[in-house]
Amino acid sequence: MKRSLLLILLVAGFLTASAQNVSLVNGWKFSPGDSTQWSATGFDDKSWQPISTAESWEPQGHDKLDGFGWYRLHVVIPSSLKNNAFFKDSIRFDLGYGDDSYAVYLNGQLIGKNYNTDPKSGFYGLCKTTIKTNDPAILWDKDNVIAVRVFDTGGAGGIYGDPDMFSISMIDIMDYARINTESDFSYGDNNTLGKTVKVETGSNYTYKGQLDITVVDPETGGSIFQKTTDVTFAKGSPYSYALTLPNLQARSYMITYSFKDDRSGKKLINTEGTPYILTPYVHAKPQINGANVFGAHPGAQFLYKIPATGHKPLVFKVDSLPAGLKLDATTGIITGTVNQKGDYHVVFTVRNRLGFAKKKFTIKIGDVIGLTPALGWNSWNAFGLSVTDAKVRVAAKTIADKLSAHGWSYVNIDDGWEAPQRAASGEIVANEKFPDMKGLSDYVHSLGLRFGIYSSPGPRTCGGYLGSYQHEDQDAKTYGDWGVDYLKYDWCSYGEIAPKEPSLDDYKKPYQVMRASLDKVNRDIMFSFCQYGMGDSWNWAGEVGGNSWRTTGDITDTWKSMSDIGFHQQAEQPHARPGHFNDPDMLIVGKVGWGDSQHNTRLTPDEQYTHISLWSLLSSPLLIGCDLGKLDGFTLNLLTNDEVLAISQDALGKEAKEVFKNDNYLVYVKELEDGSKAVGIFNISGKYQTINLNWAELNLGGYTKVRDVWRQKYLITNNKTFKTNVPSHGVELVRLGK
Ligand code: GAL
């Protein structure tokens, strides 16, 4: 099979675990360091430390280990694995995530690696390899030794992941087939959802069998739709099914697609939750959205686009605009420079033929920028290293057309823009994918948006591109010349520069150096630290001049990843404040992919409502990580709820506290500037739950108004208790007012 198809299929997560897998979860031994002897079958690893694959090596006694480490495991590979398979020629080794470079050996033979020649150039991703079943490296029905050599560039290291990510399995018939659910749902009258589902293959085998589709109401468990169809498909001729589901309620139903092939008896299963829209239609009358405060330095270029919705054309006006600023009345973009420090209280007015809206707004010219969490987009979760100028322009245009009216403004390029070599002068230059960085930045600014870039303090970035080490002043100047407004600054390869056991000062140093370099540039550049929270960075990152700082390793598009990160931010919580925010990593909604191909996020619609609600409560930067060129209706609706975004953008800049926790649900409370409270009630259980709260017990007594924020409706309650029915992994987000 073509590698690209295999990748698409793997990423789509359609693989069903057969009983024929050999688990590789338990029994691993570990040693830090590196030796050519350690792949050998006969090597005696008795003195090595047993290690779990549930987590990286860091929390298992190797806190500061960056560099090499080896894993070894003894395992019997039974020939029944091959015998029970329909296709018998290839066998796959899945070894979780490899962080970062890996080489896999089977009985001393190299069977897979993720780099060409330099083991330090591999990149974090799935650790896996496939070999032929007649490869002499395999000892069928005998003891085999799997040895994995890992090189960690910084932060977490090793091979780790969920138990189902560690196994040996045959590449079988269903690995070449796929139930493709990637097309978008369409929304029809009478609460009808429609979508076309395809069953397809890249192999020469002709599949013949039954496709079964069942749709279940997750609250009652009752089936609301069932259909079985005879299906034949082959390479180049997929089978398509047009699914129509009428009369749906505003909730997510679970669809299970299951195909059984008659000849092989093998099955393929895929599931997805149906989307449901909560954010009401945008009003035709003008409405002004976004934060009510914006900060800039005196003398720095100022750029703010007034976020406003309503039938176009809209006409903008600002009263009491400070000297040095001017407004474009047709676009709402304010530009210029203010030299005098101070709080400037202005009033925005936006009109159309149906009426007008007014809003008080404060322009704070002073020492702090990024007064509310950044709202924008970053290329990484969508495109990984395959980001290009064209892709960034599509994102910028989409933000301008569909999202900026709700306050979204940053367009940030992540890793992958840097040329392999600096200019003779030592200046950093962009690679061929970004032929005109200044032109791109000008384009982004012309839309009223802001432009961001990425680098690393080490010689290389995490993607193996050039970092800023010993070129900090030069790079900051180049960013300033290009018109950069946001710098994400990683840690990768700085592990080689910092001492083996970094002290707190060592952790701070690269950020202090770049801070000083940025300070020499007369431009407001938001500074985002991406060092995963090492040295409990939330305690000092604000003082070192970070506008935000990552508190964790990388997020991925699963409930486990998102909820593990999002619901473990309480040590960091007190440190959030205007201009300085904790960053639990970027959003994983819409079409994500970290590379050439994208897939629908594996979060269910309810999990996505939780994600956006929680990140807003946490005052995290909200950086959309999807391909905005393929923005579907559900995702757009999810990202444009002005009352939800108002919680994120609240000027008090506090982060929500967890005020209640049991095994089934959690309650988070965020204090807001107007004295009201945003309350997130999260169902973390696997079932629908009716949750009963007593406001006084949660210290939330005395509020008379309860507003459902997603639905933008007041709820009728008795002011003392609150009862809500929340789907599994879903949320009820309310705002309590007096
Ligand atoms: C990682 C970082 C990602 C992305 C990547 C680029 O360390 O956490 O968000 O920036 O580097 O190589």
Side-chain angles (χ1 to χ4, degrees):
M1 175 169 21
K2 272 178 44 202
R3 201 176 122 75
S4 56
L5 179 62
L6 177 65
L7 274 178
I8 293 168
L9 298 180
L10 287 173
V11 163
F14 72 98
L15 294 175
T16 48
S18 88
Q20 305 307 324
N21 291 353
V22 173
S23 168
L24 299 179
V25 175
N26 297 317
W28 289 93
K29 294 279 198 82
F30 176 75
S31 170
D34 191 31
S35 160
T36 47
Q37 313 294 307
W38 293 352
S39 64
T41 319
F43 174 76
D44 183 0
D45 57 25
K46 273 203 204 69
S47 63
W48 281 24
Q49 158 202 352
I51 194 155
S52 158
T53 51
E55 51 188 358
S56 72
W57 66 45
E58 308 265 319
Q60 305 188 66
H62 303 280
D63 190 16
K64 309 265 162 59
L65 177 60
D66 299 336
F68 286 105
W70 280 74
Y71 288 73
R72 283 173 59 95
L73 175 77
H74 287 262
V75 63
V76 174
I77 307 179
S79 50
S80 59
L81 203 62
K82 189 169 43 169
N83 300 339
N84 292 335
F86 192 76
F87 288 173
K88 301 187 191 297
D89 60 328
S90 301
I91 185 164
R92 170 179 50 216
F93 296 75
D94 284 306
L95 297 158
Y97 291 108
D99 194 351
D100 296 284
S101 292
Y102 64 80
V104 182
Y105 296 84
L106 180 63
N107 301 316
Q109 303 296 313
L110 179 69
I111 59 165
K113 59 186 170 97
N114 69 340
Y115 56 88
N116 287 329
T117 47
D118 180 5
K120 296 180 181 168
S121 69
F123 187 62
Y124 171 84
L126 291 177
C127 177
K128 60 189 165 71
T129 184
T130 298
I131 58 172
K132 293 285 173 209
T133 44
N134 61 6
D135 190 316
I138 310 181
L139 303 174
W140 291 100
D141 298 313
K142 294 201 181 102
D143 182 50
N144 289 260
V145 174
I146 301 175
V148 189
R149 180 193 195 210
V150 180
F151 181 83
D152 171 32
T153 52
I159 49 170
Y160 53 87
D162 292 345
D164 62 359
M165 297 176 78
F166 281 84
S167 68
I168 305 178
S169 55
M170 294 292 296
I171 300 276
D172 207 356
I173 173 167
M174 290 310 180
D175 289 323
Y176 298 92
R178 172 194 197 200
I179 299 173
N180 180 341
T181 58
E182 289 297 315
S183 75
D184 292 340
F185 280 94
S186 60
Y187 301 82
D189 293 342
N190 302 324
N191 297 319
T192 299
L193 273 185
K195 109 177 261 172
T196 302
V197 181
K198 283 187 187 159
V199 201
E200 59 197 22
T201 180
S203 93
N204 290 323
Y205 178 87
T206 300
Y207 296 71
K208 233 179 154 154
Q210 293 78 44
L211 174 67
D212 182 73
I213 303 178
T214 329
V215 184
V216 170
D217 180 332
E219 184 171 17
T220 60
S223 160
I224 64 149
F225 178 94
Q226 198 282 325
K227 173 102 188 164
T228 306
T229 341
D230 287 333
V231 162
T232 303
F233 61 98
K235 193 180 192 165
S237 57
Y239 174 84
S240 290
Y241 183 83
L243 177 66
T244 308
L245 301 170
N247 303 321
L248 299 177
Q249 295 173 41
R251 57 174 54 199
S252 183
Y253 298 83
M254 183 52 76
I255 314 182
T256 304
Y257 309 93
S258 154
F259 169 73
K260 184 165 180 224
D261 179 62
D262 287 340
R263 196 147 40 113
S264 65
K266 306 273 172 180
K267 246 188 180 181
L268 191 59
I269 295 175
N270 199 347
T271 59
E272 68 177 329
T274 59
Y276 61 108
I277 298 289
L278 291 182
T279 304
Y281 281 119
V282 167
H283 298 293
K285 284 190 179 165
Q287 177 177 300
I288 305 175
N289 305 309
N292 57 16
V293 59
F294 180 73
H297 285 114
Q301 253 180 45
F302 185 98
L303 175 70
Y304 185 82
K305 180 179 177 189
I306 302 171
T309 44
H311 263 198
K312 291 194 172 137
L314 296 172
V315 180
F316 295 81
K317 185 174 151 244
V318 182
D319 290 317
S320 317
L321 200 59
L325 295 187
K326 66 171 197 307
L327 165 78
D328 180 324
T330 53
T331 59
I333 299 174
I334 306 173
T335 51
T337 307
V338 187
N339 291 321
Q340 281 300 314
K341 277 193 179 181
D343 286 0
Y344 297 89
H345 302 288
V346 302
V347 178
F348 294 155
T349 307
V350 180
R351 283 179 192 281
N352 67 9
R353 63 186 166 79
L354 299 167
F356 69 91
K358 271 186 190 295
K359 174 171 167 165
K360 289 185 182 159
F361 190 85
T362 306
I363 296 173
K364 280 180 177 279
I365 303 296
D367 297 328
V368 193
I369 62 167
L371 299 177
T372 62
L375 292 184
W377 175 86
N378 170 294
S379 56
W380 186 251
N381 292 355
F383 303 121
L385 297 171
S386 75
V387 61
T388 62
D389 173 288
K391 289 173 180 171
V392 175
R393 281 174 194 262
V394 168
K397 184 77 174 74
T398 311
I399 295 179
D401 291 349
K402 299 184 172 168
L403 295 163
S404 63
H406 304 273
W408 298 90
S409 69
Y410 285 92
V411 181
N412 295 353
I413 306 174
D414 207 284
D415 205 358
W417 61 267
E418 311 88 335
Q421 233 129 52
R422 289 177 176 269
S425 59
E427 249 173 76
I428 188 85
V429 275
N431 58 37
E432 68 291 348
K433 295 188 294 161
F434 291 90
D436 179 9
M437 207 51 117
K438 176 73 170 72
L440 178 57
S441 156
D442 288 347
Y443 171 69
V444 170
H445 291 141
S446 74
L447 300 170
L449 307 177
R450 301 195 192 93
F451 182 61
I453 213 160
Y454 162 98
S455 188
S456 190
R460 290 177 318 279
T461 66
C462 299
Y465 287 75
L466 277 186
S468 294
Y469 184 56
Q470 293 185 331
H471 290 276
E472 294 83 358
D473 273 357
Q474 241 174 344
D475 286 0
K477 180 175 179 311
T478 306
Y479 303 153
D481 294 346
W482 283 344
V484 165
D485 306 296
Y486 190 110
L487 172 66
K488 171 174 174 183
Y489 206 48
D490 217 311
W491 172 266
C492 278
S493 85
Y494 192 78
E496 297 162 28
I497 310 293
K500 273 267 148 296
E501 301 261 320
S503 66
L504 211 51
D505 284 345
D506 297 325
Y507 280 126
K508 292 179 184 175
K509 190 169 169 199
Y511 297 92
Q512 289 164 328
V513 170
M514 186 47 106
R515 178 72 268 168
S517 300
L518 290 173
D519 288 344
K520 292 177 194 156
V521 177
N522 180 24
R523 191 166 178 88
D524 283 351
I525 302 181
M526 295 269 277
F527 194 18
S528 140
F529 298 6
C530 177
Q531 52 82 286
Y532 330 112
M534 291 182 299
D536 294 349
S537 60
W538 45 91
N539 290 322
W540 49 263
E543 280 78 66
V544 171
N547 295 106
S548 65
W549 47 87
R550 280 272 295 274
T551 54
T552 72
D554 287 13
I555 198 167
T556 190
D557 59 321
T558 61
W559 167 252
K560 178 161 176 24
S561 171
M562 188 270 285
S563 61
D564 276 358
I565 292 176
F567 293 126
H568 293 95
Q569 296 293 310
Q570 291 300 296
E572 296 81 343
Q573 182 273 340
H575 300 280
R577 58 197 187 276
H580 310 285
F581 295 102
N582 290 300
D583 174 6
D585 206 1
M586 300 176 289
L587 301 178
I588 36 152
V589 299
K591 291 193 171 25
V592 294
W594 291 269
D596 282 337
S597 64
Q598 287 71 42
H599 59 270
N600 291 330
T601 175
R602 288 174 290 166
L603 294 188
T604 66
D606 287 317
E607 290 166 355
Q608 294 180 66
Y609 280 119
T610 288
H611 186 23
I612 301 299
S613 306
L614 182 56
W615 262 237
S616 299
L617 286 165
L618 295 176
S619 297
S620 161
L622 297 180
L623 292 171
I624 303 165
C626 69
D627 179 352
L628 285 177
K630 298 189 186 128
L631 188 61
D632 62 288
F634 172 76
T635 310
L636 176 63
N637 185 271
L638 187 70
L639 297 172
T640 51
N641 190 307
D642 297 304
E643 294 197 15
V644 175
L645 293 173
I647 294 174
S648 145
Q649 295 299 295
D650 187 77
L652 206 54
K654 296 255 186 185
E655 177 164 339
K657 274 192 194 147
E658 187 178 84
V659 300
F660 179 84
K661 177 186 182 154
N662 70 16
D663 288 347
N664 295 318
Y665 69 93
L666 307 170
V667 182
Y668 274 64
V669 178
K670 177 173 176 174
E671 283 175 48
L672 303 175
E673 195 193 21
D674 67 355
S676 62
K677 307 252 165 134
V679 183
I681 304 152
F682 297 97
N683 177 357
I684 51 168
S685 81
K687 296 200 288 273
Y688 251 85
Q689 249 189 99
T690 301
I691 299 172
N692 288 294
L693 301 183
N694 178 316
W695 292 132
E697 283 173 12
L698 298 170
N699 267 329
L700 292 170
Y703 291 90
T704 48
K705 292 184 190 157
V706 182
R707 185 157 172 93
D708 181 315
V709 181
W710 279 104
R711 294 171 184 82
Q712 301 186 358
K713 267 192 213 153
Y714 284 107
L715 302 175
I716 299 168
T717 67
N718 65 12
N719 301 336
K720 292 199 170 62
T721 57
F722 184 65
K723 183 172 166 178
T724 177
N725 199 19
V726 189
S728 163
H729 297 180
V731 61
E732 173 70 54
L733 182 63
V734 294
R735 185 167 178 144
L736 304 184
K738 287 194 173 154

